[in-house]
Amino acid sequence: MGFFIEIFWALLMVGVPVGIFTLALFWWALQGGHFNESSDSNALRREIKAMSGRKKKKKNKDKKEEDRKLHPLQKQWARFGGGFYGIVAFFTYIVVEAREIITTISNFGGFIDFLKQLNFDVIIQMFVQALMNFITAMVWPFYWMKRIETGQVWIWFLMAYAGYWAGLKLAQVLVKHRSQSLT
């Protein structure tokens, strides 16, 4: 019975959020025309892999033009790699940053007090913390293994991948359905 409860909690706590996050990012990127292949999963994976390497291959002029097309969040996603590892790294970064921002503001006594005490030192501390959070996100398996209290970590990683896969497939279906209904 404990095994099924573990699967349920992993699905609820990791699978669903990663799936929704994946759906949102891929739907947004597919709708924006950032990927040519929206229905073939293998071709889409190749494009995702190439997305993070575009900076190295493009000339400065082409790179600047491509960067203008991408939203800053999509650029950040590309920096993390774009695929499963990149999605979970980006998700982890957002979770860690949100917790850090909430903690910082509450330590100052609220948002208004935070704004009153905002100075150069606080901005530098926030920048350093954001960089440290980026590193934490890049090694996300270690971050999440410390946070999950279970002996069956593999279930949680499996549910995260299941959420990623479901979100990716659903985004492809939604974009395909929308494009067919417009024609």
Side-chain angles (χ1 to χ4, degrees), residues 170-183:
L170 187 55
Q172 288 175 309
V173 167
L174 290 174
V175 169
K176 184 178 180 180
H177 177 69
R178 184 165 190 260
S179 67
Q180 287 176 349
S181 67
L182 292 176
T183 56

Side-chain angles (χ1 to χ4, degrees), residues 30-90:
L30 289 167
Q31 284 292 105
H34 297 296
F35 298 118
N36 297 325
E37 296 291 336
S38 62
S39 59
D40 181 18
S41 294
N42 291 331
L44 184 57
R45 277 192 206 109
R46 286 191 297 271
E47 285 192 59
I48 292 166
K49 191 173 184 179
M51 179 176 73
S52 62
R54 283 184 183 159
K55 294 176 187 173
K56 299 172 189 168
K57 295 178 183 175
K58 297 225 179 224
K59 295 179 182 175
N60 280 343
K61 181 181 175 186
D62 292 340
K63 179 185 142 200
K64 288 179 183 175
E65 186 177 314
E66 182 71 25
D67 282 349
R68 272 188 240 122
K69 293 179 187 176
L70 291 175
H71 187 275
L73 288 175
Q74 291 171 328
K75 289 179 195 175
Q76 187 67 28
W77 173 35
R79 283 188 203 124
F80 283 117
F84 170 68
Y85 195 92
I87 288 279
V88 179
F90 190 30

Side-chain angles (χ1 to χ4, degrees), residues 88-104 129-140 143-144 147:
V88 179
F90 190 30
F91 178 73
T92 303
Y93 182 74
I94 290 173
V95 167
V96 172
E97 273 293 304
R99 294 179 91 190
E100 188 69 35
I101 289 168
I102 291 168
T103 301
T104 300
Q129 192 61 45
L131 184 61
M132 290 172 38
N133 292 343
F134 180 82
I135 293 168
T136 298
M138 293 305 289
V139 294
W140 63 262
Y143 174 79
W144 289 110
R147 307 212 40 92

Side-chain angles (χ1 to χ4, degrees), residues 94-156:
I94 290 173
V95 167
V96 172
E97 273 293 304
R99 294 179 91 190
E100 188 69 35
I101 289 168
I102 291 168
T103 301
T104 300
I105 290 173
S106 65
N107 286 344
F108 276 98
F111 188 71
I112 302 297
D113 291 333
F114 169 74
L115 290 177
K116 288 178 184 176
Q117 298 176 32
L118 189 63
N119 59 35
F120 187 70
D121 291 338
V122 172
I123 293 171
I124 294 296
Q125 288 174 348
M126 290 172 62
F127 178 75
V128 169
Q129 192 61 45
L131 184 61
M132 290 172 38
N133 292 343
F134 180 82
I135 293 168
T136 298
M138 293 305 289
V139 294
W140 63 262
F142 298 108
Y143 174 79
W144 289 110
M145 283 192 291
K146 286 192 315 187
R147 307 212 40 92
I148 300 169
E149 297 177 15
T150 182
Q152 300 171 338
V153 175
W154 64 274
I155 292 174
W156 289 74

